[in-house]
Amino acid sequence: MTILALLIPISLFLGLCGLGAFLWTLRSGQYRDIEGDAQRILLPDDPDPVIDDRNRSSRS
């Protein structure tokens, strides 16, 4: 029974830490553009990459 006196405050502390982290992510704008983030991860960063001729000639 004495373990409950230890576990209840620890669980409340961890719950408050989780709530604080969630509120911090809301304030920092992590959820503003969820669709855009999902699409940007699938697209290449540079749509027209520059091929280095030095590396190309050494491979062939």
Side-chain angles (χ1 to χ4, degrees):
M1 210 49 171
T2 58
I3 193 71
L4 288 178
L6 181 66
L7 289 179
I8 289 174
I10 289 173
S11 64
L12 287 174
F13 175 73
L14 291 176
L16 288 175
C17 286
L19 180 64
F22 176 70
L23 292 175
W24 176 75
T25 60
L26 280 178
R27 294 180 119 210
S28 66
Q30 301 264 335
Y31 306 109
R32 285 190 186 151
D33 188 18
I34 295 175
E35 291 294 323
D37 290 340
Q39 292 175 1
R40 275 193 295 275
I41 198 169
L42 298 175
L43 297 175
D45 292 337
D46 190 8
D48 189 21
V50 177
I51 298 173
D52 190 9
D53 289 336
R54 291 177 287 174
N55 291 339
R56 183 183 236 180
S57 63
S58 64
R59 289 184 188 167
S60 52

